Amino acid sequence: MATEDNEVPINAIRVFVTIAREGSVTRAAGALGATQSSVSRYLAVLEDYLGADLMERRGRRSELTEFGRLFANTVAEPIDTVYFTAKRMRRRNRPDANRIVVRTSLSTFAYSLLIPNLQAFSAEMGGVTVDVISSLSLPTSSENFDVLITRDLSVIEPADNWEIYNEQLVCVGSPNHVDGKGLSIIRSMPILNVTSRPDVLPTWLRAMNLTSKDIKSGARYDHNYLALPAVMTGKWLLVAPEIIVSDLVRGGVLHVIPGSRTPSGMQYRAYAVDRSDNPEIARAFCRWLARLCKKAAIPEAA
């Protein structure tokens, strides 16, 4: 990690920019996938080269010095430009030229709609492989993904984006229990709670001019993909995004209670990041996904 006197320590500068962006050596190490000791050594190399301290202790915390803030603000954008340009330039020699990584914060959406239809996209694109990863954490530019699908996260790097779905909520139940019945059934049949989406039930109740006192509270599940088997097989109701139950409704496994559809105000978006090694495929995937979501909508009569 040592450098000659006249050799600019580019790697150390990139590490320092990450430290400044993340706010600490510890978080920078996590973002870079490196050890704290390695990040600290890069910091020491850069301080030695510049002949100035970049970080200083403030009680139990470390903060950028005035010189460190000035240096970080000056070099951050050029370093990012070099990084993104290098990523784009290497794509011609990339061994996985027919592969993209899709990152999503919508695990039930991926389970119920996206993954079952990926073979159709692969066939349409001549055999493209789509890797799918799920995470609720904020995405960073150091992560390896080509497309982000999200409802509540944002991308802080250059990316094209598509509106793929304006979320609609519906109340569903097993046909054995809800066929031929209207909204009045919600006063007698327990509604499942999904703790990963605490906003859904209150939003739906307000739209129906109801309060929590008007319903029976059912069992709790962490995610919709855990609640779906329960509502399919038990005497429960579930208020959920229409798009994740659409195939089950079409297949007759679940039934939408008439008059229960309402917008949630949430919007699903797909981002194709500029640094993707396969930007054309990433953008084609986003366009395909928008079409898929449009086709997945349940007819109003359902």
Side-chain angles (χ1 to χ4, degrees), residues 3-293:
T3 63
E4 298 293 335
D5 286 345
N6 293 324
E7 183 183 345
V8 178
I10 295 297
N11 286 336
I13 293 174
R14 179 168 177 255
V15 169
F16 172 67
V17 167
T18 305
I19 295 172
R21 184 175 293 140
E22 297 293 330
S24 76
V25 170
T26 301
R27 289 194 291 272
L32 293 167
T35 64
Q36 290 186 46
S37 59
S38 174
V39 171
S40 296
R41 287 197 299 273
Y42 274 116
L43 177 61
V45 166
L46 184 57
E47 288 181 327
D48 182 65
Y49 177 84
L50 295 172
D53 291 335
L54 298 170
M55 304 283 292
E56 61 184 350
R57 297 291 297 180
R58 291 288 179 88
R60 301 177 64 181
R61 299 179 57 187
S62 292
E63 296 181 358
L64 295 178
T65 63
E66 184 177 349
F67 182 88
R69 283 191 294 273
L70 175 62
F71 186 74
N73 291 338
T74 303
V75 302
E77 186 175 345
I79 284 291
D80 285 344
T81 300
V82 169
Y83 177 73
F84 290 135
T85 301
K87 289 284 285 184
R88 286 193 292 268
M89 293 299 289
R90 70 181 281 270
R91 80 169 58 107
R92 292 183 181 179
N93 298 318
R94 186 172 185 258
D96 296 328
N98 219 28
R99 191 184 203 107
I100 60 170
V101 176
V102 173
R103 183 188 193 272
T104 182
S105 61
L106 310 173
S107 54
T108 306
F109 171 81
Y111 170 82
S112 60
L113 183 70
L114 173 62
I115 294 173
N117 287 283
L118 282 181
Q119 188 56 44
F121 173 74
S122 178
E124 183 180 311
M125 296 296 293
V128 167
T129 299
V130 180
D131 299 328
V132 180
I133 57 176
S134 176
S135 176
L136 296 176
S137 63
L138 287 171
T140 67
S141 58
S142 62
E143 291 181 83
N144 178 30
F145 66 89
D146 303 277
V147 173
L148 173 70
I149 306 170
T150 184
R151 178 190 60 245
D152 45 11
L153 302 180
S154 58
V155 171
I156 58 173
E157 59 182 290
D160 291 335
N161 72 90
W162 284 258
E163 175 188 311
I164 59 172
Y165 177 60
N166 286 310
E167 190 175 66
Q168 300 286 317
L169 303 178
V170 290
C171 186
V172 295
S174 166
N176 294 335
H177 299 123
V178 303
D179 266 4
K181 299 176 182 176
L183 273 174
S184 60
I185 194 176
I186 68 170
R187 296 180 181 272
S188 59
M189 200 165 167
I191 299 180
L192 299 174
N193 288 279
V194 178
T195 56
S196 64
R197 287 296 306 273
D199 60 303
V200 164
L201 189 54
T203 298
W204 184 81
L205 287 173
R206 284 194 299 271
M208 298 295 115
N209 293 316
L210 297 168
T211 70
S212 58
K213 295 179 181 179
D214 296 317
I215 64 170
K216 289 186 175 182
S217 183
R220 294 181 181 276
Y221 291 89
D222 284 346
H223 300 280
N224 274 308
Y225 64 78
L226 299 176
L228 286 173
V231 75
M232 286 188 284
T233 58
K235 195 172 182 179
W236 310 95
L237 297 176
L238 176 67
V239 176
E242 171 190 69
I243 202 162
I244 70 170
V245 299
S246 59
D247 281 352
L248 296 172
V249 171
R250 286 192 178 89
V253 179
L254 291 177
H255 183 87
V256 175
I257 296 176
S260 70
R261 179 183 280 104
T262 186
S264 74
M266 303 295 284
Q267 188 180 77
Y268 297 6
R269 302 195 75 85
Y271 297 85
V273 295
D274 282 7
R275 62 179 166 83
S276 168
D277 289 325
N278 287 314
E280 294 81 10
I281 296 176
R283 294 184 185 106
F285 175 86
C286 293
R287 291 190 291 268
W288 168 83
L289 184 60
R291 295 195 302 271
L292 176 67
C293 291

